[in-house]
Amino acid sequence: MITIPRWLLLVLGALFSAYHVVLGVYSLDVPASPWPTVVALVLYTAATVASLWPARRVRMPDWLAAFDLAVSLVLPLLVTSQLDPAADNGYATWYVAAVGTLMTIAAARRRLITAWVGVIALAVQTVLWAGPLALGSLGVIGSLVWVAIAHMLTSALTNAGRETRRYAQAEREAAAWQAAQDAHLFEGRMRLAHTNRVAAPMLRRIADRDGRLDERQRAECRLLEATIRDEIRGRMLLTDVVRAEVQRARQRGVIVTLLDEGGIDDLDEAARDRVLSQLAEAIAASTADRLIARTAAEGSPTAVTVVGLVAGASDDDGIASGDTEDLEVELWLEIPRERGA
C-alpha cells in the first residue's frame, strides 16, 4: 500500500494558501481602498493556519468549521466592496481561489457540509456581483470542482478505512477461531494419546484372557474406566495430586465425579494450583460415600464446588445406582476464585 506522509500534505496546503496571500498583497493597488483587502488577508491567513495546524483528530472541530465558513462568507464581501465588477481586476480576485482552497481543506477534514455551503455562497455572491458569466472567468467553477474532488476522495478514504477495520476485525476473529480449533485438536490428540497409554495394557490383558477376568481384575477395570472418564470430563480439574487423591478415594469405595464446565479456564496458573490443591485436600479429608466436584459458572466468585454425600446402611443401593434423593450432605465446600474470599 502506497502512503503519503501527512506533513507533505500540510506543506502543500500551506504553499497553496501562501500563494493566494502573495497574490492578494501583490494586487493591493487595484482596489479603491486596500484596507478591506488587508483585513480579508488577515482573516484568511488565520483560518488557514488554524485549519492546517497538526491535530490528533482528522475531523475539524465545530468551532473551527464555523470560523472557516464565516471567513469564506466575509472574504468575497470585503474584497469585492472595493472592486469594479465591469473592470479587469486581475489578481485582485484572489479571494475566489482562496475560498476554494479553504473549503477544500475543510472537506478534507471531514466537514463536507461546511465546504459545500462555503463554495455555493461564493458562487451566489459572484453571480449577484458580476453576473453568471463571472463564474467561469473568475474561477468559481474551479473552486466547486476542487471541493467535489475533495468530497469524493474523503468519502472513498472513509469507506476504505471502515472496510479495513472490518476486515481486520474479521481477520482477528478468524485467527482466534483457528487458534481455538488448533488448541481443541491438540488437546484431543493429547487426551487420546494419554487414554491409549493408560488403557492399552488392560485391553491387551482382556484380549489375552478372552474377556475372562476375576473380581479383582474387574474392579481394576472399573477404576481404569473411571480414570479415563475423569480425563474426558474433568479436564482442568486434574493435576497429579488430584488424580492421586481421587484414586485413593475410589480405592476406599467412594464414587467420585469430576465435572469441568470451563469455569476455571481463565484462571492463571498460580490461582488454579491453589484451587486444585484445596480440592485435593477436600477429597483426602472427606468421609463421604460419594463426591462431586464441579466448576462454577464464569463470573461467579466460586471456582469449584465440592459436594460430599453420605448414606446409611439402607441407602447403599442408592449410592451404587447414582440416586441422590435420599442421601445426606456430608460436605459442602465452595473454593473461591480469589485468595481470602
Side-chain angles (χ1 to χ4, degrees), residues 285-289 291 308-310 328-332:
S286 176
T287 59
D289 298 317
L291 285 170
L309 303 176
V310 65
E328 297 180 357
V329 177
E330 182 268 345
L331 170 66
W332 183 280

Side-chain angles (χ1 to χ4, degrees), residues 17-32:
S17 301
Y19 175 68
H20 302 319
V21 174
V22 171
L23 291 181
V25 173
Y26 176 77
S27 60
L28 281 177
D29 58 336
V30 177

Side-chain angles (χ1 to χ4, degrees), residues 68-266:
D68 285 354
L69 180 59
V71 170
S72 70
L73 297 176
V74 171
L75 239 62
L77 299 177
L78 288 173
V79 178
T80 57
S81 67
Q82 304 301 317
L83 296 177
D84 182 4
D88 183 10
N89 295 296
Y91 292 135
T93 57
W94 61 271
Y95 70 91
V96 175
V99 170
T101 301
L102 185 61
M103 292 299 97
T104 301
I105 295 172
R109 294 196 60 182
R110 313 287 177 83
R111 289 294 182 176
L112 300 177
I113 295 178
T114 299
W116 280 114
V117 171
V119 291
I120 290 174
L122 173 65
V124 172
Q125 190 274 339
T126 301
V127 171
L128 295 177
W129 178 63
L133 295 179
L135 293 175
S137 61
L138 296 182
V140 177
I141 295 177
S143 297
L144 291 169
V145 171
W146 275 110
V147 171
I149 293 174
H151 187 163
M152 290 186 294
L153 291 177
T154 301
S155 299
L157 290 175
T158 301
N159 292 334
R162 187 183 303 112
E163 292 298 324
T164 300
R165 291 191 295 271
R166 186 179 303 168
Y167 288 142
Q169 178 65 25
E171 184 179 1
R172 288 192 294 268
E173 293 177 356
W177 179 85
Q178 185 62 44
Q181 295 302 312
D182 292 341
H184 288 312
L185 181 61
F186 177 75
E187 182 181 6
R189 289 177 177 174
M190 291 293 293
R191 294 189 181 279
L192 183 61
H194 178 78
T195 301
N196 180 67
R197 188 166 56 253
V198 172
M202 178 59 70
L203 293 176
R204 283 194 292 267
R205 289 166 57 186
I206 294 174
D208 293 341
R209 294 174 176 271
D210 294 329
R212 294 189 295 271
L213 305 177
D214 55 29
E215 190 60 33
R216 181 185 63 79
Q217 292 169 336
R218 291 178 183 274
E220 186 177 352
C221 285
R222 284 192 289 270
L223 288 176
L224 181 60
E225 186 270 339
T227 301
I228 295 174
R229 188 169 59 247
D230 290 342
E231 297 293 335
I232 298 174
R233 299 192 303 182
R235 294 179 60 245
M236 303 301 292
L237 287 174
L238 293 173
T239 62
D240 292 339
V241 177
V242 172
R243 287 187 181 94
E245 294 300 336
V246 169
Q247 186 72 10
R248 295 191 186 96
R250 285 176 175 149
Q251 290 174 354
R252 300 195 304 266
V254 181
I255 299 175
V256 182
T257 303
L258 301 178
L259 298 173
D260 177 15
E261 299 177 350
I264 61 174
D265 289 352
D266 59 334

Side-chain angles (χ1 to χ4, degrees), residues 12-48:
L12 291 175
L15 290 176
F16 271 106
S17 301
Y19 175 68
H20 302 319
V21 174
V22 171
L23 291 181
V25 173
Y26 176 77
S27 60
L28 281 177
D29 58 336
V30 177
S33 173
W35 297 113
T37 301
V38 171
V39 174
L41 288 170
V42 172
L43 290 175
Y44 174 68
T45 302
T48 302

